[in-house]
Amino acid sequence: MRKWKIALGAAVALGAISVASVHLLDMGNLRLSTGTAGAATPAPAAFVMPVPVASVVKKTIPIYLDYAARIEPIRSITLQARVPGYLQEQTAQDGADVRQGDVLYRISPDDFQAALDQAKAQVQRDTATLDYARSNLGRGTELAKSGYLDKDSFDQRTSTLREAQASLALNQAAVRTAELNLSYAEIHAPFPGRLGRNQASVGTLVSVAGTVLNTLVQLDPIYVTFNPSETDLAEIEQARAAGPVDVEVLLPGQTETSQTGELTFIDNTVDHSTGTITARATIGNAKFTLMPGQYVRVRLHIRQQPDALMVPQTALGSSQLGKYLYVVGKGNTVDQRLVSLGPTSGDLVAILSGVSEGDQVITGNLQKIGPGMPISPLPQKPAT
């Protein structure tokens, strides 16, 4: 019995030793695994945002004043007849571009030709009468000197000569009038321009200044009229004092200049109800691109601004405090600068305050960065 108890105690002791050995072995494996994993997966580095940058450059830029404008013809007339008659022919088609002196319409000339022939016949008759009266007076003069013609008869011959002279002058004037009326049967273009839509069919009986035939407008050159504000008037007058003021015309939907001209007129009174003044530029329009009544935009080049600090407009951001730029700061971090803007020139905008020449402004990824963030400036592309 005692031996059995001794054997049982020995077995329990051996089991406890085995369990302790297994536990120590597992703890050692756990430490070894933990140490190996820590050495194989180091902590990841912080991400740095790459951003495109552009340098602040100093350049001379043109200063413009922009206005909405309307095209107006220099000359626009209504074509009407100067003599009555039946419209015989329309020699220029509707909408045709005509030169000065071109025949546009013809009125039947028969009546005017007949009147001219009659007036010329009367001149011939009066010429013959005058010749006889002049000869008769010459003979009377010799007879009066010899005493064979009394004074009353001599005065009658003198009066007859003067009447013949007056009658001839009167009928010569009638010839000129008939020639004018015959010439008025053809309606000529008084200046180069473009016809409108015909308003009188062939065969219409037209009256003097009562029947509208058509309209003619001059297209080259042409006026561009706009209304500067009275606050801009001083700058415009200063620019005019320095020399001709160039005007650029931009058609609707275009960003490039279509035609150029010169400021030629500023009215003498400011409209008190609008605070504006009427101004006008004369524009060459050889290709007839501009049409009367068309709305365009004009830019007045009033001066050059030297040493303007320019940055791309794409670099601008906006907040409740105003416009700002992100600039590459010390240690390649983001520095936010509030700026005030000047005039634009193409894709660039002038910065009046907030940056200096040579600063590098961030032009892209603006939504992904903020003040103080680390960044990686990308190499700048060479200027074109």
Side-chain angles (χ1 to χ4, degrees), residues 60-368:
T60 299
I61 61 171
I63 302 300
Y64 294 98
L65 295 176
D66 290 5
Y67 302 101
R70 186 166 57 88
I71 306 298
E72 294 181 350
I74 292 180
R75 289 182 285 185
S76 176
I77 62 169
T78 299
L79 296 175
Q80 294 177 296
R82 299 182 67 174
V83 291
Y86 287 97
L87 190 62
Q88 184 180 63
E89 183 182 6
Q90 177 185 354
T91 58
Q93 299 300 316
D94 293 0
D97 296 318
V98 298
R99 296 170 298 180
Q100 183 175 357
D102 286 352
V103 178
L104 307 180
Y105 289 91
R106 284 191 177 95
I107 296 172
S108 178
D110 297 342
D111 294 341
F112 309 110
Q113 184 64 55
L116 176 60
D117 294 340
Q118 181 180 3
K120 286 181 177 180
Q122 302 235 353
V123 167
Q124 292 175 353
R125 183 195 64 186
D126 290 340
T127 302
T129 302
L130 177 62
D131 290 341
Y132 174 76
R134 187 177 289 115
S135 299
N136 196 27
L137 180 62
R139 290 190 300 271
T141 302
E142 295 298 329
L143 292 173
K145 289 180 179 180
S146 303
Y148 291 104
L149 184 67
D150 60 280
K151 188 175 184 309
D152 183 66
S153 298
F154 179 78
D155 290 343
Q156 288 180 358
R157 294 188 183 191
T158 303
S159 176
T160 301
L161 175 64
R162 292 177 178 175
E163 287 178 359
Q165 290 174 334
S167 179
L168 178 61
L170 180 63
N171 285 311
Q172 285 175 337
V175 168
R176 290 193 294 270
T177 300
E179 289 175 342
L180 283 175
N181 289 336
L182 182 60
S183 68
Y184 293 155
E186 288 186 346
I187 299 174
H188 298 259
F191 53 82
R194 178 172 293 180
L195 280 176
R197 180 175 58 86
N198 179 49
Q199 301 182 45
S201 302
V202 172
T204 301
L205 178 61
V206 298
S207 58
V208 178
T211 305
V212 175
L213 305 179
N214 210 321
T215 56
L216 178 68
V217 296
Q218 180 177 338
L219 297 181
D220 182 32
I222 204 164
Y223 285 147
V224 179
T225 303
F226 54 97
N227 299 93
S229 65
E230 56 185 331
T231 56
D232 294 340
L233 188 57
E235 282 190 289
I236 296 175
E237 291 292 358
Q238 185 177 359
R240 291 183 75 191
V245 178
D246 294 332
V247 178
E248 300 178 0
V249 178
L250 289 81
L251 294 175
Q254 293 186 356
T255 57
E256 297 296 329
T257 300
S258 174
Q259 276 104 332
T260 59
E262 182 181 332
L263 180 65
T264 53
F265 169 77
I266 294 181
D267 206 352
N268 57 7
T269 305
V270 175
D271 189 337
H272 69 277
S273 62
T274 61
T276 62
I277 191 170
T278 300
R280 189 171 64 202
T282 304
I283 308 294
N285 190 34
K287 296 182 179 180
F288 300 156
T289 307
L290 304 176
M291 299 297 291
Q294 186 177 10
Y295 285 92
V296 296
R297 293 200 63 82
V298 295
R299 299 197 307 174
L300 273 65
H301 181 202
I302 58 172
R303 68 175 187 276
Q304 296 286 110
Q305 179 174 327
D307 300 331
L309 298 177
M310 309 298 293
V311 301
Q313 296 189 47
T314 54
L316 288 174
S318 182
S319 68
Q320 294 180 347
L321 299 178
K323 298 292 184 180
Y324 65 84
L325 291 171
Y326 283 145
V327 180
V328 178
K330 294 182 179 179
N332 284 346
T333 57
V334 177
D335 185 12
Q336 187 180 34
R337 307 271 185 90
L338 293 176
V339 295
S340 57
L341 305 181
T344 61
S345 177
D347 295 333
L348 303 179
V349 59
I351 303 299
L352 303 181
S353 63
V355 295
S356 302
E357 184 180 10
D359 284 346
Q360 288 189 318
V361 298
I362 301 171
T363 61
N365 291 333
L366 302 180
Q367 310 298 329
K368 301 177 182 179

